[in-house]
Amino acid sequence: MPPSTGPPPDDQVPHDLLSTKIRVPQLRRSLVHRERLVERLARGSSGRLTLVSAPAGWGKTTAVLEWRRWVAGRHRFAWVSLDTDDSDPARFWAYVVRALTEALPERLHEPLRLTEIGADPRRVLVPSLVNALGDLAGERAVLVLDDYHVVRSDQVDEQLGFFVEHIPPSLQVTVISRTRPALPLARLRARGELAEVRAADLRFSRTETRTLLTDVLGLRLSGSDVVALQQRTEGWVAALHLAAISLRSRPGPAPALSEFPGPHEHLVEYLAAEVLSALPEDLRDFVLRTSLLERLSAELCNVVTGRDDSGAMLEEADRRNLFLVALDERRHWFRYHHLFADALREELHRADPGAAPELHRRASGWFERVGSAPEAVRHALAAGDHESLTRIVAAAWNRTYNRGRLATVSAWLDAVGERGVRADPWLAAARVMVWADEGRLDELDAWIDEDRGRTVDGYAYALVRALHRFKSGDLGRADQELEAAARLRDEAEPFWPTVERCVRAAVACWRGDLRGCRRSAAAAATLAESYGNVAGRTYSLGYLALAHLDEGDAPSAARRLAQVDDQLRPGSDLSGHFVLTLPLLVAGRLHRQAGRTEEALADLERAVSTSRLGAGRLERVAALGELARVLEESGRRPEAPPFRDEAAALLRNCPDPGRAATLLADDPRLPRPRAPEAGEELTAREVAVLQLLPTQKSLRTIAADLYVSHNTVKTHTRSLYRKLAASTREEAVQRAREAGLL
């Protein structure tokens, strides 16, 4: 069942990416030029990956920014400043593609479109991105991933590793991280394709320390003082900056340099306290209370602090060099240096232990109002405001889900908690949709059974169960749940009625009730179109086309297919979405009938690929079986077995697959049902014929579908009549249904 694009009326949350995250941070003009470090980075740019790895405060980002300025005009730079929300692979790659598009306009149209509809990163998006980059025609480009350590996702690690190993030589990836990432470093190092910059390389020398303290920061220190400070900090640039601010801001005599702690976290705490103690009280209060924000603007800071002069406060903090980093050229958005922010938060906790929850609550409310759901969720969670958290997630999950960000929705639901999810029908629907699309059908089955009737009571609950039973290949139980839903039907809003009609169309199709399939699919398409559900419309039109084709009406199938033709093109809004499985399957079959084998194979390969992104088991079986058949017919028989094996494995796990079994009717590994009267076992071909008897197809058309002669089908039909103790086609179908064979 495709996701709806019609969330509750109060969900007005857009999901545009934050432009500040793909802007190159601003580099201060007054800095120490570190030629040896820039040259080291430049030498490494010929490889695939440069890893700049060191603890916080060692100047990793500044070093890469200086390298970028040094090679300006010779390299194009794409920059992504990462945060914890980017652990969702779909969100991570959306930012990567956006950043690369900014650096390389007109090259990444298709990958950009794929990110907009949430195409599967590993199978669809990343390969498309690698192909689109291709040869940059002599241009050199660098993709910088800053703060990669905040990404906690095995999937992102694996996908980025694949990307790095397959990019063209003209593109290089630079990863900035506090920790060593789980990328194929050993393999890249062995091939000479990895350059590494570590803390030892970033350490300020005595000469660089003297330049920083005296020439850049304007301190009057003796040579021995410079040496002492360099030794106490061991060249740790953040500590050097803090020490300089502390020394410069004290009205009285400066403390003896020997009093500074050694080069570890206590030094930062000590120096931060020194810096804060010298600030005016209003500025000190401002930086402490805004330290909880990962990005700052004057408007946001006014809301969080209750002030009306945050713009002036930010200017003063910047003037005093309080580790404020501009995130855009207009200097509208800022952030504190991570190390300084950590120290400020610790100080806030000591000075005012109860302040943080209320500050987070205000920030959450502001982000909710401006439409930034991820940040609203993050601050509501930090505030312990479960009521707001639940409201924000309920309003935002549907559109986030429709963009393919399943990991984000799943994390939000985990934050709400099982009790909150089960108590809210809309959130329960989110859990069902995410698990269904992730293929976690057994887990979903257990969750539904444990929660029978408590979570999604009535109409919606029955439809949730029907959807799950269909996805699992259990048509009989799906029918039962649909009947239960019909008795409780509520048409107040279009989401659940669309679900019902789509599931009815799918169940009817695989039952062989093609007229019922067309009726439900047409209703679903009309309803989906009425409220802008493109995915639902495409899904239902796919079933309409399949029903026409199975009735032998290829022209009508082609006309229905034409209604979704714009979605079938690579790079369309739904490219890479499982709802294209049925339209692509129909397109492939139409090409096969017309003798266009290569076109058929291309469409069927795409159908198989998209079916793995969330289609039901029967839909996957249909795509796999049809692809295997065309491969065998086209002389590529050795390539077919893996697809047949996958289809057979799926089919064996379908409690009631309906006529989907006909696609693998000659597979001896599949169980054969027994006839009710004589107890005789039905042959595989008899099962195939039986599954098609409820349709309106003639025996000659059935023979063509099964690739056997007309006389062979008549022989199988006579045998079926005998085993089922029936004298007519209608009676045989009725007896088969009574026996559970259909």
Side-chain angles (χ1 to χ4, degrees):
M1 169 60 207
S4 163
T5 55
D10 60 346
D11 182 7
Q12 301 297 324
V13 182
H15 285 271
D16 293 332
L17 301 178
L18 301 175
S19 61
T20 53
K21 284 166 56 69
I22 58 173
R23 294 285 179 265
V24 179
Q26 298 296 296
L27 186 64
R28 287 183 177 274
R29 294 180 180 178
S30 56
L31 54 77
V32 179
H33 177 59
R34 309 186 69 191
E35 185 174 351
R36 61 179 178 85
L37 191 55
V38 168
E39 289 179 351
R40 184 180 180 89
L41 287 165
R43 287 196 302 272
S45 65
S46 59
R48 292 182 180 275
L49 176 66
T50 294
L51 174 60
V52 183
S53 176
W58 282 93
K60 302 182 294 295
T61 300
T62 300
V64 176
L65 286 170
E66 189 179 1
W67 168 46
R68 173 183 175 273
R69 186 167 71 178
W70 188 68
V71 298
R74 287 176 284 165
H75 292 58
R76 297 189 180 214
F77 273 72
W79 195 287
V80 183
S81 298
L82 298 163
D83 59 44
T84 54
D85 291 324
D86 301 322
S87 295
D88 184 325
R91 182 179 168 91
F92 174 88
W93 288 106
Y95 276 114
V96 168
V97 172
R98 287 278 183 171
L100 286 168
T101 302
E102 293 273 331
L104 302 165
E106 306 302 326
R107 291 185 179 274
L108 304 179
H109 174 72
E110 182 174 353
L112 185 61
R113 298 282 285 174
L114 291 175
T115 65
E116 292 171 355
I117 53 85
D120 178 75
R122 178 62 180 88
R123 294 192 179 97
V124 180
L125 176 56
V126 176
S128 172
L129 179 57
V130 170
N131 291 335
L133 287 167
D135 183 4
L136 297 180
E139 292 182 299
R140 296 284 303 170
V142 178
L143 168 64
V144 180
L145 301 174
D146 198 2
D147 287 332
Y148 187 78
H149 57 273
V150 302
V151 175
R152 305 291 176 85
S153 168
D154 293 340
Q155 289 178 291
V156 171
D157 288 338
E158 188 269 334
Q159 292 161 11
L160 181 59
F162 174 89
F163 178 74
V164 168
E165 293 198 274
H166 290 83
I167 54 177
S170 47
L171 177 67
Q172 192 253 8
V173 176
T174 295
V175 170
I176 304 174
S177 177
R178 295 185 188 178
T179 59
R180 294 175 64 76
L183 300 175
L185 302 180
R187 194 157 60 242
L188 292 168
R189 188 182 296 112
R191 296 201 298 253
E193 296 175 337
L194 172 67
E196 295 183 85
V197 175
R198 303 183 182 181
D201 305 302
L202 295 164
R203 203 181 304 277
F204 265 54
S205 67
R206 290 184 181 179
T207 300
E208 290 170 335
T209 300
R210 181 183 300 108
T211 302
L212 173 68
L213 296 176
T214 60
D215 296 350
V216 175
L217 299 179
L219 291 179
R220 295 182 177 180
L221 296 176
S222 67
S224 60
D225 283 342
V226 170
V227 171
L229 194 52
Q230 196 273 341
Q231 290 176 339
R232 298 300 292 174
T233 62
E234 293 188 3
W236 188 4
V237 64
L240 287 170
H241 271 279
L242 280 167
I245 296 173
S246 174
L247 292 170
R248 190 171 52 192
S249 62
R250 293 182 65 88
L257 297 180
S258 60
E259 296 178 6
F260 287 168
H264 47 72
E265 60 185 14
H266 299 300
L267 174 61
V268 173
E269 293 177 6
Y270 171 82
L271 292 174
E274 287 285 320
V275 170
L276 288 171
S277 66
L279 295 180
E281 184 176 350
D282 60 344
L283 182 57
R284 179 179 184 275
D285 182 74
F286 176 83
V287 297
L288 286 177
R289 293 181 181 278
T290 56
S291 66
L292 298 177
L293 302 171
E294 293 192 7
R295 59 187 185 117
L296 306 83
S297 70
E299 182 184 356
L300 171 59
C301 291
N302 278 340
V303 170
V304 170
T305 63
R307 308 176 66 100
D308 60 6
D309 61 347
S310 293
M313 287 290 101
L314 287 170
E315 289 180 6
E316 179 65 11
D318 189 41
R319 187 186 68 80
R320 290 174 177 262
N321 294 319
L322 292 182
F323 289 84
L324 198 64
V325 179
L327 297 178
D328 57 2
E329 294 179 358
R330 296 185 299 121
R331 302 182 69 79
H332 180 77
W333 285 100
F334 301 85
R335 69 167 175 84
Y336 292 117
H337 186 284
H338 299 311
L339 196 65
F340 189 55
D342 289 343
L344 292 176
R345 290 164 190 160
E346 288 293 327
E347 179 61 25
L348 176 64
H349 179 69
R350 284 193 292 266
D352 192 352
E358 175 60 20
L359 298 174
H360 280 299
R361 188 190 65 77
R362 295 175 186 175
S364 176
W366 188 86
F367 280 117
E368 182 182 7
R369 288 192 294 276
V370 301
S372 182
E375 290 169 296
V377 166
R378 189 186 313 131
H379 284 289
L381 187 61
D385 187 350
H386 193 268
E387 181 179 348
S388 294
L389 174 68
T390 302
R391 182 186 66 251
I392 295 165
V393 172
W397 79 260
N398 192 242
R399 293 191 180 187
T400 305
Y401 172 88
N402 286 343
R403 298 179 72 87
R405 296 174 189 169
L406 301 183
T408 295
V409 176
S410 185
W412 288 354
L413 297 174
D414 290 343
V416 170
E418 185 175 354
R419 178 179 298 179
V421 170
R422 290 176 184 270
D424 187 301
W426 193 244
L427 293 180
R431 179 68 83 191
V432 169
M433 296 301 185
V434 169
W435 280 359
D437 272 13
E438 290 176 341
R440 297 162 62 181
L441 297 180
D442 291 340
E443 190 171 354
L444 179 57
D445 188 41
W447 187 82
I448 290 175
D449 283 342
E450 290 171 6
D451 201 57
R452 178 180 290 273
R454 293 199 303 271
T455 295
V456 192
D457 197 17
Y459 181 49
Y461 180 72
L463 289 176
V464 164
R465 293 182 61 85
L467 169 62
H468 173 252
R469 298 310 178 192
F470 167 69
K471 289 250 185 184
S472 303
D474 192 347
L475 298 180
R477 296 184 69 182
D479 264 331
Q480 294 172 10
E481 297 299 343
L482 285 170
E483 292 311 308
R487 294 191 292 270
L488 302 164
R489 185 176 292 127
D490 179 2
E491 305 269 354
E493 54 85 23
F495 177 75
W496 292 114
T498 306
V499 173
E500 179 185 355
R501 286 159 175 79
C502 283
V503 177
R504 283 191 180 280
V507 170
C509 178
W510 300 112
R511 276 291 189 212
D513 179 9
L514 300 181
R515 181 179 299 173
C517 172
R518 286 191 285 106
R519 182 171 58 250
S520 295
T526 300
L527 185 58
E529 188 169 14
S530 71
Y531 69 104
N533 185 349
V534 178
R537 176 180 177 273
T538 302
Y539 185 77
S540 49
L541 286 173
Y543 267 106
L544 266 174
L546 182 61
H548 284 306
L549 189 59
D550 283 347
E551 289 173 330
D553 187 355
S556 292
R559 283 195 296 272
R560 291 299 187 184
L561 206 58
Q563 293 181 260
V564 295
D565 183 63
D566 56 333
Q567 299 301 332
L568 295 180
R569 298 191 185 98
S572 72
D573 288 346
L574 294 177
S575 183
H577 199 298
F578 79 84
V579 297
L580 293 184
T581 301
L582 270 297
L584 288 167
L585 173 63
V586 171
R589 286 180 55 183
L590 287 172
H591 283 309
R592 175 176 61 82
Q593 290 181 6
R596 296 185 293 268
T597 302
E598 291 306 314
E599 290 88 341
L601 286 172
D603 283 331
L604 292 172
E605 286 169 356
R606 284 185 66 198
V608 167
S609 176
T610 57
S611 75
R612 291 172 176 150
L613 305 179
R617 287 175 181 168
L618 304 184
E619 295 160 341
R620 290 178 61 189
V621 166
L624 289 160
E626 191 67 26
L627 176 58
R629 174 182 295 177
V630 176
L631 286 169
E632 290 163 349
E633 292 175 352
S634 63
R636 295 164 59 177
R637 184 171 293 275
E639 299 178 38
F643 299 108
R644 277 190 166 273
D645 291 345
E646 184 178 347
L650 285 168
L651 207 51
R652 285 195 296 272
N653 288 320
C654 293
D656 183 3
R659 68 190 183 101
T662 63
L663 290 169
L664 301 173
D666 55 353
D667 195 317
R669 296 165 296 180
L670 298 176
R672 298 178 182 179
R674 302 183 71 84
E677 297 293 331
E680 294 183 64
E681 188 178 80
L682 301 183
T683 68
R685 281 299 178 187
E686 287 169 352
V687 172
V689 172
L690 176 61
Q691 296 287 353
L692 293 174
L693 288 183
T695 71
Q696 297 178 348
K697 293 183 177 183
S698 67
L699 294 185
R700 191 174 300 279
T701 302
I702 291 175
D705 282 353
L706 297 178
Y707 298 94
V708 296
S709 70
H710 184 207
N711 287 334
T712 298
V713 167
K714 289 197 292 184
T715 299
H716 290 321
T717 304
R718 286 195 297 269
S719 179
L720 279 170
Y721 288 0
R722 177 180 58 79
K723 292 179 180 181
L724 292 169
S727 57
T728 66
R729 181 170 175 170
E730 290 74 17
E731 189 176 357
V733 170
Q734 181 62 31
R735 292 288 180 88
R737 284 177 172 159
E738 291 171 356
L741 300 177
L742 286 174

